[in-house]
Amino acid sequence: MQLISKLSLSLVTVSTLVLGGCQQFTQPQTPASPMVEAENQFHLQGKIGVRTPQQSGSAFFNWLQQQEQFDIELSGILGVGKTQISGQPGQVTLNSAKTGTIQAATAEELLQRATGWQAPISHIIDWVQARPATTQAKVAYDSQRRPTQFLEDGWTVDLSYNEQARLPNRLILKQTFESGQENRITMVIQNR
């Protein structure tokens, strides 16, 4: 039972932080497209799965982003195990019945404290909007000039699209270690 509790806490923490990063990097300038959502303003619903060498799990998410402020709700099947995450520059808060309230200055800091691993959590805001988070990213494109892969800060991010959509409906984030093991985060966006 204790192992299940630790696994649940780790999944909630990682999912929370993956979905709750705050913008911290200067964005490359890209032309505006009428089909693209307003920058850093979106509402996403879907499912997230996290797999590390030590554990794996999944949750449903509802993510509202308004510029640099966000509100995310994570839950299991039938809404069981709800976790609320909110953030703004300088403060990220996670609240659930299992953990109580946990706060940190950034999502990356909260992830490090809670799980011991480091990840560029704030980049996900850009990645779900089909753009790199930094100017150092290596980007691959499809025939429609949509990004299909980012190589950025030690992560490989594969993006998939529905038909002619300009924004991805699936992201797979992978961090591979020298041992061949990896951390993998899969996000399926069902509604935008």
Side-chain angles (χ1 to χ4, degrees):
M1 187 67 169
Q2 187 176 10
L3 176 62
I4 292 172
S5 246
K6 285 183 179 181
L7 176 61
S8 296
L9 174 59
S10 294
L11 173 64
V12 165
T13 303
V14 170
S15 298
T16 296
L17 296 173
V18 164
L19 296 174
C22 294
Q23 187 70 22
Q24 295 180 347
F25 296 94
T26 303
Q27 300 306 310
Q29 297 300 313
T30 56
S33 167
M35 296 181 70
V36 176
E37 298 164 343
E39 187 171 318
N40 296 341
Q41 290 193 53
F42 52 81
H43 183 201
L44 306 176
Q45 295 174 316
K47 188 172 183 179
I48 185 167
V50 176
R51 187 174 68 211
T52 71
Q54 295 79 28
Q55 58 196 354
S56 64
S58 63
F60 293 98
F61 68 85
N62 186 0
W63 176 4
L64 179 61
Q65 183 79 33
Q66 297 284 333
Q67 301 299 324
E68 293 185 358
Q69 296 182 352
F70 63 88
D71 193 27
I72 299 167
E73 183 177 288
L74 295 167
S75 63
I77 275 225
L78 301 175
V80 175
K82 282 190 181 179
T83 298
Q84 195 69 34
I85 307 102
S86 58
Q88 57 191 2
Q91 183 177 349
V92 179
T93 303
L94 177 151
N95 191 355
S96 78
K98 289 183 180 180
T99 65
T101 300
I102 301 173
Q103 293 185 332
T106 67
E108 286 84 358
E109 180 185 332
L110 191 55
L111 177 64
Q112 176 68 37
R113 270 196 234 159
T115 68
W117 54 280
Q118 298 175 348
I121 302 303
S122 58
H123 291 5
I124 294 175
I125 292 171
D126 293 298
W127 295 341
V128 299
Q129 295 178 89
R131 64 180 190 229
T134 68
T135 57
Q136 295 79 34
K138 293 181 181 172
V139 183
Y141 296 90
D142 65 11
S143 61
Q144 297 177 43
R145 297 294 303 153
R146 299 177 298 192
T148 57
Q149 187 177 72
F150 300 125
L151 299 176
E152 195 164 13
D153 286 342
W155 287 79
T156 300
V157 181
D158 294 314
L159 296 88
S160 302
Y161 300 84
N162 281 332
E163 300 171 9
Q164 301 299 314
R166 300 303 307 162
L167 296 172
N169 68 312
R170 181 180 171 112
L171 293 89
I172 299 175
L173 294 66
K174 296 175 281 194
Q175 179 186 41
T176 305
F177 304 105
E178 288 180 17
S179 65
Q181 294 181 315
E182 69 179 14
N183 290 331
R184 179 184 290 246
I185 301 165
T186 303
M187 291 181 66
V188 177
I189 300 168
Q190 298 165 333
N191 294 305
R192 283 190 177 267

